[in-house]
Amino acid sequence: MIPMLQRALRIQHTWNLPLRTCQAMAAAAFVLEVVGTNLAWATYTGFPGLMSLSFYPAGARSYVLALSVALALVAVRFTRRRQAGIWASLASFALTLQTLIAISRDGGGLVNVSAGAWITLLGTILGIIAFVALPDDGAPLPSSWPRLPRVLDGLAVVAGIGAAMLLLVYGLSVDPANQFVGLVIALIGGLAALNRLGLFAWLGALYARQQGLSLALIGLAAISFPFTQNGESYWLRVGANVGVLAAAAIGLNVVVGLAGLLDLGYIAFFGVGAYVAALYGNAGLGPSRGHIPFLLIVPLGALVSGLIGVIIGAPTLRLRGDYLAIVTLGFGEIFRIVVNTYDGFTGGPNGLANIPDLAFGSFNFGLPHKVFGITLQGFANYYWAELVLIAIVVFVFSRLDRSRIGRAWVAIREDELAAAAMGINTVAYKLLAFGIGASVAGGSGTIQAHVATQVSPDSFVFMQSVLLLAAVVLGGMGTVPGALVGAAILYAVPEKLRAFSDYRLLIFGVLLILVMRFRPEGMIASKRRQREFHDTEASGSDALSAPPGFAGAVP
Amino acid sequence: MPLLQATGVTKQFGGLRALSNVDLTVEEGEIVGVIGPNGAGKTTFFNCLTGMETRTSGEILFRGAPLPTRPDRVTVAGVARTFQNIRLFHNMTVLENVLVGTHPRSRAGVLSAIGRGPRYKREERKAESTSRELLSFVKLDGLRGELAKSLSYGDQRRLEIARALATDPGLLLLDEPTAGMNASETAGAIALVKAIRARGIGIVLIEHDMRFVFGLCDRVAVLVHGEKMVEGSPAQVQSDERVISAYLGRPAE
């Protein structure tokens, strides 16, 4: 099936139907889908998304409708953009099929599926055929997106970030797992189609021109997230959890993405920070019963973690290749076992519970606060504290990345011996990357201890290191937005898919394989990585080079 | 005082003596060729000079002081090299490759890279202008933004030389600079090596292209089975019976 999909999604094609025929089929598909989505899909009420009502497209039906409108636009405006059309029509087909299966499963049989769903399904199949059969002229992505005047440039940035924010808030509010899966399918198809139309390349150039404004707006959007939650705490807690892990993921990105060191025990450094906060922070659970204020405990956790990182790294970073991965894997286990064993100090397997909320002077992080008349639950405070931490980490990361030091890291990743021949002290620079990564993890760990109100060895198992690494790889190695997006996807989406929580790792596995196969540079790639994987492709060679330690991109 | 003075360099790999008691002296501004059949120990000699392999014994003085034994310190001391099988940073751009070469001649640490004060900016500007100058020196200025791996073979060799020059060396070791080049590229390489010498940099080169070696070098050393068999001017070496027999074998008696 994969080669078939691949053939359809890439350039090759088998049937070359005349353009007119394809256009007619696309038009028919559009009509069928509009009619189908306006008719009832289910014979019974109770299925989420009001599927039994006619002329009221809601839930999954509205997504199909939106996709079909997009499809029609593609057909009219960019007749030759078959890849965009294929993506959109595949997504609407998958979406319809998924809803259809859900209706028949919940209702107890295919009889519960009404005509509307069948008509839509037919339309989506016709849509796929229309675009797969379209002759392809092999033309590059359209550059027909307009270059806007400066004022509109800014407005487009505002609109783009606003739309992303609305989508996020809407996505979080979509409730039944079925409908959320539908939304994800629609989003994947729709975004892939837009990408094939060149929208993201255009937006990327736009944001690069308006960098200051974009950054400010993204920051503003991130800050304003708690205000969209109507005083509820559920997603704020998730946001607070994602925030610490996102900061840690950026730290891991320095180690893995820039310096190319595979660290499989990264979560242990996070754990070190968490235990430092629990033992010596305002919880004072350590033997000294000490109380170190919040503003000092974060750098202290970072320092302790960084020191341990240097101690672990100093002997092992002299070695080349995969030894480091093995040693860090071992270190992660040692940390967990030590914490488990010394129960007089660390609480052993029970961990340390009842860690109080952070307090900053008389300001208690755990209590709800009213801002502009909107009640914000306590987690908003943690979320904001993490934003500050992330902002600092991002600032440091991007400054280092584009400096003599970042160049040295990338050179070491590329060819360690040649880097040494350029006068780079490779051991020292690897140690620096390792230590910076460890201290970022430690710093975010101190906040995590308070967000979770307890620390225990179970939270710092090998699987957590793997998940963080997966977040970095999935999002895009070597970029800040990549690490953020990766962490958000890996830690927030499961909250939406609690119904499928048994299959969580299976889904991650499949997702990772798909990303590695179709977009090995990650979802948000650094320019360097994008070229690393796709420059050779463009020049006609199939030889993709996989980064060391991440084979799998090569078929 | 000679630029480089290596005496008694010996390298033992287990039971195999890859180099035994090799002496080599390079004067300022001199071009010295090292030739010899495959497996004679030429690259091993380079590796021992640059600290990529630890020599079993022998002394190496650079500008009168002992040369360090760690690759990065050797480069900092002023000895740069290229590799027989080109080792560029493939996924970095041409300009970035040369910028990495300026590493030992700049000093910015973590804090100044984060703070970006005036000194940092000055240093970074200087590194960039040096790199651009070197790229135009090796005639690659049109390809600054390309990825190193997308360059043609001859361009990659020249980029590697530019990258080595960016470390501001007093001595440059070239390991088979014309391997895989066609006739016109080789002619370009001759001009390039001469231009490097004109910058006051001493050069040692390993090469199999005899026309290239004898047309370019002031002095040629012949390594055979890890031992220096002959050293002298190109004319002397060319007419030496032992060299001829080492390369072609003895005439049948």
Side-chain angles (χ1 to χ4, degrees), chain B residues 64-85:
Chain B
L67 197 63
T69 51
R70 231 175 57 192
D72 53 313
R73 294 204 179 136
V74 169
T75 309
V76 172
V79 177
R81 70 170 291 178
T82 65
F83 295 88
Q84 184 179 356
N85 46 341

Side-chain angles (χ1 to χ4, degrees), chain A residues 395-396 399-400 402-405 407-408 410-411 414-415 417-425 429 432 528 531-532 535-536 545, chain B residues 52 70-72 75 83 87 89-92 96 99-100 103-104 106-110 113-116 120 124 145 147 149 163:
Chain A
F395 177 74
V396 169
R399 280 278 167 105
L400 286 180
R402 282 167 297 155
S403 78
R404 170 175 179 263
I405 292 164
R407 286 195 299 265
V410 176
E414 287 284 309
D415 186 332
L417 188 69
M422 292 302 106
I424 295 166
N425 185 343
Y429 272 84
L432 180 67
R528 184 175 288 135
R531 299 180 69 178
E532 181 174 338
D535 259 21
T536 45
S545 55
Chain B
M52 294 191 176
R70 231 175 57 192
D72 53 313
T75 309
F83 295 88
R87 301 188 77 141
F89 306 120
H90 289 289
N91 295 305
M92 296 175 95
E96 280 174 327
L99 278 173
V100 171
H103 186 93
S106 47
R107 272 185 307 184
V110 175
I114 295 171
R116 305 247 153 140
Y120 174 86
E124 200 71 349
L147 286 193
K149 68 177 176 191
R163 189 182 68 173

Side-chain angles (χ1 to χ4, degrees), chain A residues 33-340:
Chain A
E33 285 178 39
V34 170
V35 171
T37 48
N38 276 293
L39 294 175
W41 280 24
T43 52
Y44 61 101
T45 53
F47 187 83
L50 304 169
M51 288 289 170
S52 58
L53 292 183
S54 284
F55 304 107
Y56 185 79
R61 285 154 71 194
S62 59
Y63 304 150
V64 177
L65 190 60
L67 279 173
S68 68
V69 171
L71 202 62
L73 288 177
V74 172
V76 172
R77 178 75 182 80
F78 306 106
T79 329
R80 301 275 166 134
R81 301 299 151 212
R82 63 194 287 273
Q83 294 183 0
I86 290 171
W87 270 108
S89 50
L90 267 181
S92 48
F93 171 70
L95 188 51
T96 312
L97 196 64
Q98 179 245 347
T99 315
L100 203 147
I101 290 169
I103 291 172
S104 59
R105 192 192 57 205
D106 288 11
L110 275 176
V111 283
N112 292 298
V113 180
S114 296
W118 295 113
I119 294 172
T120 315
L121 193 68
L122 189 66
T124 58
I125 293 173
L126 203 59
I128 296 177
I129 295 173
F131 278 95
V132 170
L134 203 69
D136 191 83
D137 55 0
L141 287 176
S143 53
S144 52
W145 294 87
R147 170 109 196 227
L148 300 170
R150 234 183 135 63
V151 186
L152 290 180
D153 240 21
L155 282 179
V157 171
V158 174
I161 292 170
M165 184 77 187
L166 282 179
L167 201 62
L168 176 75
V169 173
Y170 174 71
L172 293 183
S173 71
V174 168
D175 199 22
N178 271 331
Q179 201 184 330
F180 183 75
V181 172
L183 177 66
V184 170
I185 295 175
L187 275 181
I188 291 174
L191 294 179
L194 287 174
N195 187 27
R196 293 288 172 180
L197 288 180
L199 177 71
F200 293 121
W202 180 75
L203 276 179
L206 196 70
Y207 287 167
R209 280 202 299 278
Q210 299 279 337
Q211 212 171 23
L213 180 67
S214 309
L215 274 178
L217 280 173
I218 290 171
L220 195 68
I223 290 169
S224 61
F225 171 68
F227 293 102
T228 64
Q229 293 301 304
N230 298 322
E232 285 171 31
S233 74
Y234 183 80
W235 286 108
L236 287 177
R237 196 185 63 212
V238 174
N241 279 320
V242 170
V244 275
L245 290 161
I250 301 173
L252 183 60
N253 215 351
V254 175
V255 183
V256 179
L258 283 186
L261 307 167
L262 189 54
D263 186 345
L264 292 179
Y266 191 69
I267 203 73
F269 297 116
F270 191 72
V272 168
Y275 271 94
V276 165
L279 291 168
Y280 301 108
N282 65 1
L285 297 171
S288 65
R289 304 275 151 210
H291 290 252
I292 298 173
F294 165 56
L295 280 186
L296 285 180
I297 199 77
V298 177
L300 183 73
L303 191 71
V304 172
S305 225
L307 272 180
I308 291 180
V310 169
I311 291 169
I312 301 290
T316 46
L317 287 172
R318 287 167 200 286
L319 304 169
R320 292 216 179 104
D322 302 329
Y323 296 104
L324 183 71
I326 303 293
V327 171
T328 50
L329 179 76
F331 166 65
E333 285 303 291
I334 290 170
F335 171 78
R336 193 176 58 81
I337 291 165
V338 165
V339 165
N340 228 329

Side-chain angles (χ1 to χ4, degrees), chain A residues 188 191 195 200 470-477 479 481-483 485-490 511-512 514-516 518-526 530:
Chain A
I188 291 174
L191 294 179
N195 187 27
F200 293 121
V472 170
V473 174
L474 191 72
M477 280 198 278
T479 63
V485 168
I489 288 180
L490 279 199
L511 195 63
L512 267 181
L514 288 179
V515 168
M516 285 294 103
F518 290 105
R519 210 176 152 76
E521 71 273 30
M523 297 172 75
I524 300 180
S526 68
Q530 210 154 16

